[in-house]
């Protein structure tokens, strides 16, 4: 599934109302609801900074932070978690190919 940065931005914007509805649940749970993690994966947002060779969008860091800003309009906690996930994925993409393959080859949606 090839997806562009602009499509990811549209998908993040579309999630805002749902994230607003779940913000109090995230606060009560003191973590991101499982449904939200599933939605981030299903929307392809988890793969925003994933290298294209593993099925990711391989967006630049600016676009990744624009996605974070949109998510923050729905839920600040979700944006913080997503920012950490996207940043770690971005950093792992700089590691040697063998390390990347060990992490993503069997599941490109692995959370790092």
């Amino acid at each position: 599934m090839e997806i562009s940065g602009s499509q990811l931005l549209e998908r993040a914007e579309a999630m805002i109302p749902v994230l607003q509805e779940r913000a109090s649940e995230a606060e009560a749970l003191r973590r991101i609801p499982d449904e939200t993690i599933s939605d981030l994966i299903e929307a392809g947002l988890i793969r925003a900074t994933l290298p294209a060779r593993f099925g990711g969008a391989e967006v630049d860091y600016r676009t990744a932070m624009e996605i974070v800003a949109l998510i923050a309009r729905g839920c600040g906690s979700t944006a913080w978690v997503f920012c950490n996930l996207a940043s770690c994925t971005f950093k792992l993409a700089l590691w040697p190919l063998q390390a990347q393959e060990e992490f993503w080859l069997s599941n490109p949606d692995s959370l790092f």
Side-chain angles (χ1 to χ4, degrees):
M1 159 179 89
E2 262 187 60
I3 188 163
S4 69
S6 60
Q7 289 172 310
L8 290 173
L9 289 165
E10 289 171 8
R11 291 178 183 189
E13 188 168 16
M15 287 184 65
I16 293 171
V18 172
L19 295 174
Q20 288 171 335
E21 290 174 14
R22 291 187 191 145
S24 60
E25 181 183 2
E27 181 72 22
L29 289 171
R30 300 183 57 84
R31 65 177 179 80
I32 303 307
D34 294 339
E35 297 84 8
T36 299
I37 295 294
S38 294
D39 288 347
L40 292 169
I41 292 169
E42 186 177 316
L45 295 171
I46 284 299
R47 294 186 183 196
T49 56
L50 182 72
R53 70 178 153 269
F54 296 108
E58 201 173 310
V59 300
D60 58 62
Y61 208 70
R62 179 185 176 101
T63 302
M65 294 305 107
E66 289 173 353
I67 294 169
V68 171
L70 285 169
I71 291 172
R73 289 178 45 202
C75 175
S77 297
T78 300
W80 184 83
V81 169
F82 177 81
C83 184
N84 281 292
L85 292 169
S87 296
C88 288
T89 298
F90 187 86
K91 290 172 189 166
L92 181 55
L94 301 174
W95 290 13
L97 182 58
Q98 181 182 353
Q100 295 177 44
E101 289 175 342
E102 287 178 16
F103 196 80
W104 290 312
L105 205 54
S106 65
N107 182 4
D109 292 323
S110 293
L111 304 178
F112 179 55

